[in-house]
Amino acid sequence: MVGFKPTDVPPTAAVKFVGAGTAACIADLITFPLDTAKVRLQIQGESKMAVTAKAAQYRGVFGTMATMVKNEGPTSLYSGLVAGLQRQMSFASVRIGLYDSVKQFYTKGSEHAGIGSRLLAGCTTGAMAVAVAQPTDVVKVRFQAQARAEAGRRYQGTLDAYRTIAREEGFRGLWKGTSPNITRNALVNCTELVTYDLIKDTLLKYNLMTDNLPCHFTSAFGAGFCTTVIASPVDVVKTRYMNSAPGQYRSAVNCALTMLRKEGPLAFYKGFTPSFLRLGSWNVVMFVTYEQLKRAMMAARGSWEAPF
């Protein structure tokens, strides 16, 4: 069998919490350029200037990445990485690391969790994670959206971004887009974790695969595709609203209606390809790493407790 073997003792909540945050950071390091390309494609066309002057600036995910490297240098693909890693360490630790614990709470400790309990657990940890990590998400999106070729960059560094947003927009600016983000992450968490849970359980239940890397890979890939289809419209609105200048949109709903009126319904699926490439690859790297980290940490814990 490839990778670490399952341990006899199930992972503790602390192991899941730390493992989820660490695995998510590793996944972000690998897939961040795809996320940056997704953001650039999602905000393209939101202003009149963008429609007239820059309508053809970005074409497709790899075309976007190539244009960014040509115009802004290769490091532009990782613009906002620090905030992204801060976000994942706080965000994924809660929404993924606490999922099993919250699921057990809703099932009152029963080993057989129904679809309702899984969905409730996904919604709960997704909302909790947004409450903790929203400022890091705002800063990450702002960095990814700003082009270095533009006159006068909005922020010079991660800490400067936090300070500038708080000074110019108030502390509410750091929590901008919380409503669409809660909606998005409730959808993402429910789809991503529940789909992964169900696919993995089905594969193991019918002996189609054993609990190892191929099983984790298959479950994660399926979860990534389902999540992209369900969450893309909310993700586009969240990105547009969080990146918008003060007063540009009255609310997230107003942002969505403005998009629909000016750009049509297909605007809600702008950046779908990079979203899927990013979410699919992110899910594979994250879940495979997460499963292995849990086993490695439990194995290390066992060796510490019983050294002889």
Side-chain angles (χ1 to χ4, degrees), residues 242-285:
M242 282 169 38
N243 185 59
S244 64
Q248 184 175 351
Y249 302 115
R250 293 191 300 273
S251 64
V253 174
N254 175 251
C255 177
L257 292 174
T258 301
M259 284 174 57
L260 182 63
R261 185 175 67 253
K262 291 184 175 180
E263 302 172 57
L266 289 179
F268 292 98
Y269 279 93
K270 275 193 172 184
F272 180 84
T273 300
S275 287
F276 172 61
L277 288 173
R278 197 261 176 177
L279 261 180
S281 57
W282 190 92
N283 269 269
V284 168
V285 175

Side-chain angles (χ1 to χ4, degrees), residues 80-190:
L81 178 63
V82 173
L85 295 179
Q86 291 172 349
R87 173 182 180 268
Q88 290 300 354
M89 205 62 217
S90 54
F91 186 74
S93 296
V94 174
R95 79 175 184 92
I96 298 170
L98 298 183
Y99 171 73
D100 285 334
S101 299
V102 174
K103 185 173 67 176
Q104 289 174 1
F105 171 79
Y106 283 127
T107 59
K108 296 179 171 58
S110 172
E111 292 183 3
H112 304 287
I115 185 69
S117 299
R118 297 176 199 240
L119 290 172
L120 272 174
C123 285
T124 302
T125 57
M128 288 168 58
V130 173
V132 171
Q134 181 67 8
T136 62
D137 204 12
V138 172
V139 171
K140 178 183 80 78
V141 168
R142 297 279 182 97
F143 263 104
Q144 289 176 314
Q146 71 177 3
R148 295 187 179 182
E150 293 175 359
R153 296 182 64 192
R154 295 171 80 175
Y155 314 111
Q156 300 305 315
T158 305
L159 291 178
D160 176 62
Y162 287 116
R163 285 194 296 264
T164 303
I165 293 170
R167 184 176 65 250
E168 295 180 355
E169 304 174 41
F171 279 100
R172 290 183 62 182
L174 290 170
W175 301 93
K176 191 172 187 177
T178 299
S179 178
N181 213 12
I182 287 177
T183 304
R184 175 191 179 271
N185 282 293
L187 289 171
V188 166
N189 231 34
C190 285

